[in-house]
Amino acid sequence: MRVIAKKTLKEFYENKNYIDSKSSLESWHYEALKADWKNPNDIKEQYRSASIVGSNKIVFNICGNKYRLIVKINYHVQIVFVKFIGTHKEYDKINIEEL
């Protein structure tokens, strides 16, 4: 998979308030790059705690469920778009359908 944009992840974990997320986000990014996800079921096999939202958005629990990562995936062209990374409190304030 191709991940767009790692910059979003890096900006998040470089914030001193979220530095504890660095290793988890780097691990997720590495695994996503190596993945060959064809559909949401492939992701659920690898990440049991991931939540499928609609047909192409996935919510990942990061850093022991302290943070939430939302991505949108185009399975046909193998691209993962990072749409959101934040705390549960921040996640609760967004409308995932509008991302």
PDB file of all heavy atoms in Angstrom, residues 54-73:
ATOM      1  N   GLY A  54     -18.282   2.510   6.903  1.00  0.00           N
ATOM      2  CA  GLY A  54     -18.610   2.566   5.486  1.00  0.00           C
ATOM      3  C   GLY A  54     -17.788   1.521   4.738  1.00  0.00           C
ATOM      4  O   GLY A  54     -17.282   0.567   5.313  1.00  0.00           O
ATOM      5  N   SER A  55     -17.605   1.731   3.467  1.00  0.00           N
ATOM      6  CA  SER A  55     -16.888   0.734   2.677  1.00  0.00           C
ATOM      7  C   SER A  55     -15.406   1.031   2.538  1.00  0.00           C
ATOM      8  O   SER A  55     -14.656   0.179   2.087  1.00  0.00           O
ATOM      9  CB  SER A  55     -17.512   0.636   1.285  1.00  0.00           C
ATOM     10  OG  SER A  55     -17.391   1.884   0.631  1.00  0.00           O
ATOM     11  N   ASN A  56     -14.982   2.234   2.920  1.00  0.00           N
ATOM     12  CA  ASN A  56     -13.578   2.538   2.678  1.00  0.00           C
ATOM     13  C   ASN A  56     -12.880   3.323   3.785  1.00  0.00           C
ATOM     14  O   ASN A  56     -11.759   3.783   3.583  1.00  0.00           O
ATOM     15  CB  ASN A  56     -13.412   3.273   1.341  1.00  0.00           C
ATOM     16  CG  ASN A  56     -14.174   4.581   1.314  1.00  0.00           C
ATOM     17  OD1 ASN A  56     -14.847   4.947   2.265  1.00  0.00           O
ATOM     18  ND2 ASN A  56     -14.068   5.292   0.215  1.00  0.00           N
ATOM     19  N   LYS A  57     -13.500   3.504   4.930  1.00  0.00           N
ATOM     20  CA  LYS A  57     -12.835   4.173   6.054  1.00  0.00           C
ATOM     21  C   LYS A  57     -12.625   3.180   7.186  1.00  0.00           C
ATOM     22  O   LYS A  57     -13.488   2.362   7.484  1.00  0.00           O
ATOM     23  CB  LYS A  57     -13.656   5.361   6.548  1.00  0.00           C
ATOM     24  CG  LYS A  57     -13.637   6.514   5.578  1.00  0.00           C
ATOM     25  CD  LYS A  57     -14.373   7.704   6.127  1.00  0.00           C
ATOM     26  CE  LYS A  57     -14.481   8.757   5.035  1.00  0.00           C
ATOM     27  NZ  LYS A  57     -15.534   9.709   5.315  1.00  0.00           N
ATOM     28  N   ILE A  58     -11.443   3.302   7.783  1.00  0.00           N
ATOM     29  CA  ILE A  58     -11.056   2.402   8.864  1.00  0.00           C
ATOM     30  C   ILE A  58     -10.572   3.244  10.032  1.00  0.00           C
ATOM     31  O   ILE A  58      -9.839   4.217   9.849  1.00  0.00           O
ATOM     32  CB  ILE A  58      -9.900   1.468   8.434  1.00  0.00           C
ATOM     33  CG1 ILE A  58     -10.166   0.834   7.073  1.00  0.00           C
ATOM     34  CG2 ILE A  58      -9.606   0.446   9.510  1.00  0.00           C
ATOM     35  CD1 ILE A  58     -11.325  -0.108   7.015  1.00  0.00           C
ATOM     36  N   VAL A  59     -10.984   2.850  11.250  1.00  0.00           N
ATOM     37  CA  VAL A  59     -10.504   3.492  12.470  1.00  0.00           C
ATOM     38  C   VAL A  59      -9.597   2.503  13.185  1.00  0.00           C
ATOM     39  O   VAL A  59     -10.012   1.396  13.520  1.00  0.00           O
ATOM     40  CB  VAL A  59     -11.674   3.898  13.400  1.00  0.00           C
ATOM     41  CG1 VAL A  59     -11.144   4.577  14.654  1.00  0.00           C
ATOM     42  CG2 VAL A  59     -12.657   4.805  12.673  1.00  0.00           C
ATOM     43  N   PHE A  60      -8.346   2.926  13.389  1.00  0.00           N
ATOM     44  CA  PHE A  60      -7.364   2.111  14.094  1.00  0.00           C
ATOM     45  C   PHE A  60      -7.153   2.667  15.495  1.00  0.00           C
ATOM     46  O   PHE A  60      -7.109   3.887  15.679  1.00  0.00           O
ATOM     47  CB  PHE A  60      -6.016   2.125  13.372  1.00  0.00           C
ATOM     48  CG  PHE A  60      -6.022   1.455  12.032  1.00  0.00           C
ATOM     49  CD1 PHE A  60      -6.229   2.189  10.875  1.00  0.00           C
ATOM     50  CD2 PHE A  60      -5.806   0.096  11.921  1.00  0.00           C
ATOM     51  CE1 PHE A  60      -6.227   1.584   9.637  1.00  0.00           C
ATOM     52  CE2 PHE A  60      -5.805  -0.531  10.682  1.00  0.00           C
ATOM     53  CZ  PHE A  60      -6.015   0.217   9.537  1.00  0.00           C
ATOM     54  N   ASN A  61      -7.039   1.792  16.466  1.00  0.00           N
ATOM     55  CA  ASN A  61      -6.672   2.180  17.815  1.00  0.00           C
ATOM     56  C   ASN A  61      -5.154   2.195  17.887  1.00  0.00           C
ATOM     57  O   ASN A  61      -4.507   1.214  17.541  1.00  0.00           O
ATOM     58  CB  ASN A  61      -7.243   1.195  18.835  1.00  0.00           C
ATOM     59  CG  ASN A  61      -8.751   1.190  18.821  1.00  0.00           C
ATOM     60  OD1 ASN A  61      -9.384   2.233  18.762  1.00  0.00           O
ATOM     61  ND2 ASN A  61      -9.336   0.018  18.843  1.00  0.00           N
ATOM     62  N   ILE A  62      -4.615   3.293  18.348  1.00  0.00           N
ATOM     63  CA  ILE A  62      -3.167   3.488  18.379  1.00  0.00           C
ATOM     64  C   ILE A  62      -2.708   3.687  19.822  1.00  0.00           C
ATOM     65  O   ILE A  62      -3.395   4.367  20.603  1.00  0.00           O
ATOM     66  CB  ILE A  62      -2.763   4.723  17.537  1.00  0.00           C
ATOM     67  CG1 ILE A  62      -3.207   4.564  16.085  1.00  0.00           C
ATOM     68  CG2 ILE A  62      -1.267   5.007  17.640  1.00  0.00           C
ATOM     69  CD1 ILE A  62      -2.527   3.454  15.307  1.00  0.00           C
ATOM     70  N   CYS A  63      -1.570   3.119  20.137  1.00  0.00           N
ATOM     71  CA  CYS A  63      -0.926   3.325  21.443  1.00  0.00           C
ATOM     72  C   CYS A  63      -1.837   2.837  22.572  1.00  0.00           C
ATOM     73  O   CYS A  63      -2.167   3.596  23.489  1.00  0.00           O
ATOM     74  CB  CYS A  63      -0.538   4.789  21.615  1.00  0.00           C
ATOM     75  SG  CYS A  63       0.724   5.081  22.838  1.00  0.00           S
ATOM     76  N   GLY A  64      -2.221   1.572  22.464  1.00  0.00           N
ATOM     77  CA  GLY A  64      -3.063   0.999  23.511  1.00  0.00           C
ATOM     78  C   GLY A  64      -4.435   1.647  23.602  1.00  0.00           C
ATOM     79  O   GLY A  64      -4.988   1.809  24.676  1.00  0.00           O
ATOM     80  N   ASN A  65      -4.974   2.073  22.458  1.00  0.00           N
ATOM     81  CA  ASN A  65      -6.302   2.681  22.362  1.00  0.00           C
ATOM     82  C   ASN A  65      -6.347   4.099  22.935  1.00  0.00           C
ATOM     83  O   ASN A  65      -7.402   4.633  23.220  1.00  0.00           O
ATOM     84  CB  ASN A  65      -7.361   1.796  23.026  1.00  0.00           C
ATOM     85  CG  ASN A  65      -8.737   2.017  22.448  1.00  0.00           C
ATOM     86  OD1 ASN A  65      -8.872   2.546  21.348  1.00  0.00           O
ATOM     87  ND2 ASN A  65      -9.746   1.623  23.175  1.00  0.00           N
ATOM     88  N   LYS A  66      -5.184   4.716  23.096  1.00  0.00           N
ATOM     89  CA  LYS A  66      -5.116   6.101  23.588  1.00  0.00           C
ATOM     90  C   LYS A  66      -5.451   7.102  22.482  1.00  0.00           C
ATOM     91  O   LYS A  66      -5.996   8.165  22.734  1.00  0.00           O
ATOM     92  CB  LYS A  66      -3.714   6.370  24.138  1.00  0.00           C
ATOM     93  CG  LYS A  66      -3.562   7.689  24.823  1.00  0.00           C
ATOM     94  CD  LYS A  66      -2.195   7.797  25.492  1.00  0.00           C
ATOM     95  CE  LYS A  66      -2.038   9.111  26.223  1.00  0.00           C
ATOM     96  NZ  LYS A  66      -0.707   9.221  26.832  1.00  0.00           N
ATOM     97  N   TYR A  67      -5.113   6.737  21.249  1.00  0.00           N
ATOM     98  CA  TYR A  67      -5.333   7.611  20.099  1.00  0.00           C
ATOM     99  C   TYR A  67      -6.126   6.868  19.029  1.00  0.00           C
ATOM    100  O   TYR A  67      -6.188   5.647  19.019  1.00  0.00           O
ATOM    101  CB  TYR A  67      -3.995   8.075  19.504  1.00  0.00           C
ATOM    102  CG  TYR A  67      -3.105   8.730  20.515  1.00  0.00           C
ATOM    103  CD1 TYR A  67      -1.953   8.098  20.967  1.00  0.00           C
ATOM    104  CD2 TYR A  67      -3.415   9.981  21.041  1.00  0.00           C
ATOM    105  CE1 TYR A  67      -1.132   8.692  21.912  1.00  0.00           C
ATOM    106  CE2 TYR A  67      -2.603  10.575  21.991  1.00  0.00           C
ATOM    107  CZ  TYR A  67      -1.463   9.933  22.424  1.00  0.00           C
ATOM    108  OH  TYR A  67      -0.658  10.512  23.364  1.00  0.00           O
ATOM    109  N   ARG A  68      -6.715   7.651  18.130  1.00  0.00           N
ATOM    110  CA  ARG A  68      -7.472   7.088  17.017  1.00  0.00           C
ATOM    111  C   ARG A  68      -6.888   7.589  15.711  1.00  0.00           C
ATOM    112  O   ARG A  68      -6.591   8.771  15.562  1.00  0.00           O
ATOM    113  CB  ARG A  68      -8.945   7.516  17.091  1.00  0.00           C
ATOM    114  CG  ARG A  68      -9.718   6.932  18.258  1.00  0.00           C
ATOM    115  CD  ARG A  68     -10.121   5.512  17.909  1.00  0.00           C
ATOM    116  NE  ARG A  68     -10.746   4.822  18.983  1.00  0.00           N
ATOM    117  CZ  ARG A  68     -12.057   4.615  19.100  1.00  0.00           C
ATOM    118  NH1 ARG A  68     -12.881   5.116  18.215  1.00  0.00           N
ATOM    119  NH2 ARG A  68     -12.534   3.922  20.100  1.00  0.00           N
ATOM    120  N   LEU A  69      -6.717   6.673  14.786  1.00  0.00           N
ATOM    121  CA  LEU A  69      -6.244   6.981  13.447  1.00  0.00           C
ATOM    122  C   LEU A  69      -7.340   6.584  12.475  1.00  0.00           C
ATOM    123  O   LEU A  69      -7.808   5.447  12.484  1.00  0.00           O
ATOM    124  CB  LEU A  69      -4.964   6.190  13.147  1.00  0.00           C
ATOM    125  CG  LEU A  69      -4.454   6.197  11.707  1.00  0.00           C
ATOM    126  CD1 LEU A  69      -4.040   7.605  11.281  1.00  0.00           C
ATOM    127  CD2 LEU A  69      -3.299   5.224  11.549  1.00  0.00           C
ATOM    128  N   ILE A  70      -7.755   7.542  11.656  1.00  0.00           N
ATOM    129  CA  ILE A  70      -8.767   7.262  10.631  1.00  0.00           C
ATOM    130  C   ILE A  70      -8.101   7.372   9.267  1.00  0.00           C
ATOM    131  O   ILE A  70      -7.415   8.352   8.979  1.00  0.00           O
ATOM    132  CB  ILE A  70      -9.945   8.250  10.702  1.00  0.00           C
ATOM    133  CG1 ILE A  70     -10.606   8.191  12.070  1.00  0.00           C
ATOM    134  CG2 ILE A  70     -10.956   7.944   9.585  1.00  0.00           C
ATOM    135  CD1 ILE A  70     -11.663   9.258  12.279  1.00  0.00           C
ATOM    136  N   VAL A  71      -8.307   6.349   8.462  1.00  0.00           N
ATOM    137  CA  VAL A  71      -7.794   6.366   7.100  1.00  0.00           C
ATOM    138  C   VAL A  71      -8.922   6.050   6.129  1.00  0.00           C
ATOM    139  O   VAL A  71      -9.913   5.424   6.488  1.00  0.00           O
ATOM    140  CB  VAL A  71      -6.634   5.356   6.907  1.00  0.00           C
ATOM    141  CG1 VAL A  71      -5.487   5.671   7.850  1.00  0.00           C
ATOM    142  CG2 VAL A  71      -7.091   3.922   7.065  1.00  0.00           C
ATOM    143  N   LYS A  72      -8.741   6.511   4.922  1.00  0.00           N
ATOM    144  CA  LYS A  72      -9.636   6.179   3.823  1.00  0.00           C
ATOM    145  C   LYS A  72      -8.804   5.383   2.838  1.00  0.00           C
ATOM    146  O   LYS A  72      -7.670   5.766   2.532  1.00  0.00           O
ATOM    147  CB  LYS A  72     -10.183   7.451   3.178  1.00  0.00           C
ATOM    148  CG  LYS A  72     -11.181   7.200   2.084  1.00  0.00           C
ATOM    149  CD  LYS A  72     -11.767   8.512   1.587  1.00  0.00           C
ATOM    150  CE  LYS A  72     -12.797   8.234   0.517  1.00  0.00           C
ATOM    151  NZ  LYS A  72     -13.399   9.482   0.030  1.00  0.00           N
ATOM    152  N   ILE A  73      -9.332   4.284   2.357  1.00  0.00           N
ATOM    153  CA  ILE A  73      -8.549   3.405   1.499  1.00  0.00           C
ATOM    154  C   ILE A  73      -9.202   3.237   0.132  1.00  0.00           C
ATOM    155  O   ILE A  73     -10.396   2.975   0.022  1.00  0.00           O
ATOM    156  CB  ILE A  73      -8.367   2.023   2.159  1.00  0.00           C
ATOM    157  CG1 ILE A  73      -7.650   2.187   3.499  1.00  0.00           C
ATOM    158  CG2 ILE A  73      -7.616   1.078   1.232  1.00  0.00           C
ATOM    159  CD1 ILE A  73      -7.447   0.898   4.261  1.00  0.00           C
TER     160      ILE A  73
END
